[in-house]
Amino acid sequence: MALLIRGGRLIDPATGRDGRFDVLVEGGRVAAVAPDLSGRLPAEGDGVEVFDARGLVVTPGLIDVHTHLRVPGQAHKETLATGTAAAAAGGFTQVCTLPNTHPVIDSPWLVEAVLARAREDAVVRVHVVGALTKGQEGRELAPLDAMARAGAVAFSDDGRPVADAGVLRRAMEYARAIGLPILDHAEDPGLTGRGVMHEGPVSLALGLPGIPAASEVVAVQRDVTLAAFTGARLHVMHLSTAGAVEAVRRAKEAGAPVTAEVTPHHLALTVAEVERLRYDASTKVNPPLRDESDRQALVQGLRDGVIDLIATDHAPHSGDEKALPYVDAPFGISGLETAFALAYGALVESGALTLPELVRRMTAEPARALGLPGGSLREGDPADIAVFDVDAEWIVDPAAFRSKGKNTPLAGRRVRGRCVATFVAGRRVWGERP
Amino acid sequence: MDAWRGNPGSLLGLAGLAPAEIERLLDRAEAWLDAWRRGAVSPVLAGRSVALWFAEPSTRTRVSFEQAAALLGARPIVISERGSSLEKGETLADTAATLEAAGVDAIVVRHGASGAPEQIARAVRVPVLNAGDGTHEHPTQGLLDVLTIRQSFGRVAGLRVAIVGDVLHSRVARSTTWALAALGASVVLVGPPTLVPTELARALPAEVCHDLRAGLEGADVVMALRLQKERMVAAYLPSEAEYRARWGITAERLGWAKPGAVFLHPGPSNRGVEVETDVHDGPRSRVRDQVRNGVAVRMAALERALSGEEAARWRS
């Protein structure tokens, strides 16, 4: 059945389109984009679904290069069904799931198993990121080539930074030959120690062990140096500090093959949120929420293009785990369903970025950084489409999340910007019929 | 930062506690001390029960709370499994709710995790008293330190107090500093930068000083903190010997403080490391007073938590 998305403001940064357009979808692909396609409608009765998008914003489906779907092994935190339903509700049509699972995704058959399961259970497109080292233990290389042939799109030891620079160097040299990027969790384990929040006056007053900004800055400096040295494509994940933004800036200026991401929560929240919620572990995230000066540097880095894209680091956990004492609770925020609104508030409402720029950082840029298909709505592209009501105000209610992870410090917060419909290959996966 | 206060009668920390409230607790402790000396403590908490939930090893604080409860006629129920809630897979809130359902009238909690008493207080309606949480606060210890100082000088306002040692990991130093500052004393935190980070001056109402002599000059009170051996392993310090040589309190160094300065230590002490025996047991030492005052302060805190009249007055 054909689908006509009529009269919305189409923002497609990949094609430079920004204006009132109709989008016609046939056979799961974009058939035509034009200001008025009413003349091209098949005859009535031939089964055309018309979606009235007047007053709404139509974009390519958002792409998240940094999602934890917790598969395999942690179905109490998330499943492919719940995680991708959450993604669809957030406007995402493609997600990359990270390998810090139980067991770790460090073999081709696990990559294949997750992809096969996704074909059954997922409502959006799922890509798999394989582990960089066996068991993510930072010692021996995982079978990178075999995982790539099984469908892995990138490699990462996210959650467990590679401590040994020599191992990381070899991994980069090897990954370069395969042609896939490394997603880099930049953190110095020695400097982080047992830290659980940003090190500074708030951690000292609360008596919680701190993670110094230097833990990230030192690691980013090391890792971009190795990227320049080896020529490997390095994508630095979840930047949180001004110093790390500066390190990426210098690396890019020197021509290193580096891209970088920032999460909506690091763009919108600071350590003041930890102070406000005190020992509520919903604010516990790695890297931690930092100072206001860091937050501003992240926004500026995104404006300048030093930071290429926005990724959620969606990290669902069970309520019981997050109810542990702050020092014992796991790190992470359930982010897919609040990502657009949080970024919209921190960037567009604040005047830091235009809406088309925000859309670009959540569609075309993630596709480019990881070499993924999509992120655009050219004629012939898969019809992966999100529709947003950017004027809609809503109050974050974790109980209503599609994700199993209700862990968010945003509960009760009033935000603006909501996904009202999501289509994957022209099939609606989120939203009510208008 | 304003501490979350919890249910009426709770005592979760001294940060944010009003000076008048601190003074009143000290006054009640003095009154109980006097009655105790005269053998005239009235069992105002007869028929009440207090859970002493010690999820971390403790001798002096537990004994002190037990003694305080018993003197006031309340029945102490000691739960002392180490890390009980975690080991059984039960959350803090579940364990707290169990204690409440079993009918205890207050929960005294010692826990290795900063913030655990606050999390527990959010889960129950009975008052919660923090008996030391991680590296956050130890409010009754802070009160007994301040009471000891007030007894020594007849006042707190205008005094200068030097706290020397591992402030970074000391819940006692935090509570004592909050209370002293609230009552008008000035506090200087003294020690190596690894254990007394410069940023502490932005976290607590205190100065930071990395030179022992400069820190002790002009001090009316010198309080040494226990140095834990694991700090050497974690590379905070090269050795106990080096700490002793540079930061240990000797009789000579106590002389850098004001004439008449007194010495405090929250215990247990490492004699020959952070303090020499002649200082610890010397004429200026108030260490024994601190222990006795601890019982009286805990009587005042339990009374505030449990006595109907008192609780009502605190609420108003």
Side-chain angles (χ1 to χ4, degrees):
Chain A
M1 184 165 73
L3 164 72
L4 180 68
I5 298 175
R6 186 149 69 187
R9 176 184 172 190
L10 175 67
I11 300 177
D12 182 10
T15 61
R17 281 186 175 123
D18 180 2
R20 199 171 153 177
F21 286 91
D22 289 352
V23 179
L24 181 66
V25 174
E26 285 173 334
R29 292 183 177 272
V30 177
V33 179
D36 184 0
L37 286 172
S38 43
R40 282 219 26 202
L41 276 182
E44 248 182 88
D46 284 2
V48 181
E49 182 189 352
V50 177
F51 185 98
D52 183 356
R54 282 173 297 184
L56 302 174
V57 170
V58 179
T59 74
L62 308 184
I63 300 174
D64 189 14
V65 302
H66 188 169
T67 305
H68 297 275
L69 292 178
R70 306 298 188 202
V71 177
Q74 295 170 310
H76 66 293
K77 294 178 191 273
E78 196 76 288
T79 65
L80 287 170
T82 59
T84 58
F92 293 89
T93 55
Q94 299 190 59
V95 297
C96 299
T97 186
L98 274 294
N100 47 339
T101 48
H102 293 299
V104 167
I105 303 174
D106 62 357
S107 65
W109 45 91
L110 276 168
V111 173
E112 284 164 3
V114 174
L115 289 173
R117 191 66 179 270
R119 282 191 288 275
E120 300 287 318
D121 295 348
V123 299
V124 306
R125 300 178 201 274
V126 173
H127 305 284
V128 175
V129 177
L132 192 57
T133 64
K134 285 179 188 167
Q136 291 193 314
E137 287 176 352
R139 289 196 287 268
E140 299 174 65
L141 297 191
L144 304 186
D145 186 51
M147 287 194 291
R149 281 186 278 116
V153 297
F155 307 110
S156 180
D157 274 2
D158 184 35
R160 295 187 66 181
V162 180
D164 186 322
V167 172
L168 185 60
R169 173 202 170 167
R170 302 294 179 216
M172 284 186 179
E173 287 172 338
Y174 200 84
R176 182 189 175 191
I178 295 165
L180 294 185
I182 289 173
L183 310 189
D184 181 37
H185 178 126
E187 177 182 9
D188 183 303
L191 283 168
T192 291
R194 296 161 68 184
V196 296
M197 66 172 290
H198 177 55
E199 181 179 302
V202 179
S203 69
L204 287 168
L206 290 174
L208 291 171
I211 301 174
S215 174
E216 177 174 284
V217 182
V218 164
V220 170
Q221 284 177 341
R222 179 195 76 164
D223 298 351
V224 296
T225 300
L226 289 175
F229 182 61
T230 61
R233 281 164 62 199
L234 185 72
H235 174 73
V236 187
M237 306 168 91
H238 47 43
L239 291 186
S240 71
T241 60
V245 175
E246 201 45 45
V248 171
R249 185 190 311 273
R250 284 198 302 273
K252 284 188 161 186
E253 283 168 0
V258 171
T259 54
E261 73 184 36
V262 61
T263 74
H265 48 268
H266 288 106
L267 290 167
L269 306 174
T270 67
V271 69
E273 202 65 9
V274 184
E275 186 175 20
R276 184 176 77 80
L277 293 174
R278 294 184 65 82
Y279 298 99
D280 178 342
S282 71
T283 60
K284 183 175 174 181
V285 58
N286 187 15
L289 301 174
R290 300 284 189 183
D291 281 335
E292 175 61 17
S293 59
D294 291 310
R295 192 192 71 79
Q296 286 178 12
L298 295 169
V299 171
Q300 189 59 41
L302 204 54
R303 279 170 64 111
D304 298 344
V306 172
I307 300 175
D308 301 85
L309 61 100
I310 295 168
T312 69
D313 191 8
H314 173 73
H317 291 291
S318 75
D320 289 347
E321 290 165 303
K322 278 289 192 180
L324 291 170
Y326 204 95
V327 289
D328 299 319
F331 290 98
I333 290 173
S334 179
L336 284 168
E337 289 162 87
T338 54
F340 182 82
L342 207 54
Y344 185 79
L347 298 169
V348 181
E349 284 192 292
S350 72
L353 231 60
T354 63
L355 178 57
E357 266 303 303
L358 171 62
V359 172
R360 188 164 73 83
R361 304 315 181 88
M362 299 183 84
T363 57
E365 289 297 332
R368 189 178 62 85
L370 262 67
L372 302 175
S376 64
L377 292 175
R378 293 183 185 85
E379 285 85 346
D381 281 345
D384 291 358
I385 303 168
V387 183
F388 293 94
D389 181 348
V390 294
D391 297 320
E393 275 199 350
W394 55 289
I395 290 173
V396 177
D397 174 15
F401 281 1
R402 268 65 188 170
S403 170
K404 282 194 177 182
K406 315 298 182 191
N407 46 304
T408 174
L410 303 173
R413 188 178 174 113
R414 183 178 293 276
V415 294
R416 187 188 292 269
R418 182 159 212 174
C419 179
V420 294
T422 306
F423 301 88
V424 174
R427 192 172 69 85
R428 190 185 312 215
V429 293
W430 165 252
E432 297 300 311
R433 198 168 276 273
Chain B
M1 185 166 11
D2 230 31
W4 185 74
R5 299 292 186 76
N7 318 313
S10 285
L11 185 63
L12 299 171
L14 299 183
L17 209 61
E21 219 166 338
I22 296 172
E23 296 269 19
R24 181 160 168 72
L25 273 161
L26 297 182
D27 291 346
R28 288 303 299 158
E30 285 278 21
W32 285 120
L33 203 55
D34 183 53
W36 187 20
R37 278 199 189 106
R38 291 186 285 106
V41 174
S42 47
V44 295
L45 300 183
R48 318 297 292 276
S49 60
V50 179
L52 302 182
W53 177 4
F54 279 71
E56 191 189 65
S58 159
T59 303
R60 54 181 67 207
T61 303
R62 184 177 54 75
V63 165
S64 180
F65 264 109
E66 243 182 299
Q67 172 76 327
L71 283 167
L72 293 173
R75 191 156 44 88
I77 302 168
V78 181
I79 306 117
S80 60
E81 308 114 283
R82 195 170 172 182
S84 55
S85 63
L86 291 185
E87 281 164 22
K88 291 179 189 166
E90 193 175 62
T91 65
L92 290 176
D94 287 341
T95 306
T98 301
L99 293 174
E100 185 173 50
V104 303
D105 296 297
I107 299 172
V108 174
V109 61
R110 156 74 65 100
H111 203 285
S114 298
E118 283 193 33
Q119 291 178 276
I120 290 163
R122 287 191 163 98
V124 295
R125 293 175 149 207
V126 297
V128 174
L129 282 72
N130 180 0
D133 63 326
T135 52
H136 174 226
E137 283 224 43
H138 193 348
T140 53
Q141 176 73 42
L143 290 169
L144 76 85
D145 290 340
V146 178
L147 179 62
T148 308
I149 291 167
R150 196 175 82 168
Q151 287 167 345
S152 300
F153 295 92
R155 66 188 164 94
V156 175
L159 295 177
R160 183 169 177 79
V161 180
I163 301 179
V164 184
D166 184 3
V167 179
L168 179 63
H169 300 100
S170 174
R171 50 195 173 208
V172 176
R174 282 173 180 73
S175 286
T176 305
T177 298
W178 286 116
L180 285 169
L183 299 188
S186 68
V187 179
V188 57
L189 307 172
V190 189
T194 47
L195 299 177
V196 186
T198 307
E199 274 201 315
L200 268 172
R202 290 171 59 206
L204 298 173
E207 297 164 44
V208 163
C209 181
H210 299 129
D211 179 79
L212 183 63
R213 182 161 201 151
L216 296 194
E217 271 171 12
D220 300 283
V221 179
V222 176
M223 182 167 130
L225 301 172
R226 175 179 171 77
L227 187 74
Q228 295 187 328
K229 290 187 196 301
E230 55 262 38
R231 302 300 172 226
M232 267 58 78
V233 180
Y236 287 95
L237 295 169
S239 68
E240 286 184 355
E242 202 161 304
Y243 180 86
R244 175 189 189 176
R246 187 152 181 160
W247 310 101
I249 305 298
T250 63
E252 183 198 345
R253 288 167 175 180
L254 193 57
W256 295 342
K258 271 189 185 170
V262 299
F263 175 81
L264 270 64
H265 194 302
S269 317
N270 293 307
R271 294 160 186 260
V273 182
E274 73 266 7
V275 59
E276 298 303 312
T277 284
D278 57 348
V279 173
H280 190 275
D281 300 337
R284 298 200 194 178
S285 172
R286 297 289 179 271
V287 173
R288 277 171 168 261
D289 299 330
Q290 286 177 276
V291 177
R292 193 195 55 226
N293 286 338
V295 176
V297 157
R298 281 148 194 148
M299 291 168 82
L302 287 171
E303 176 191 36
R304 173 176 178 261
L306 287 177
S307 145
E309 280 171 49
E310 284 297 315
R313 190 154 20 169
W314 287 105
R315 265 179 238 132
S316 71

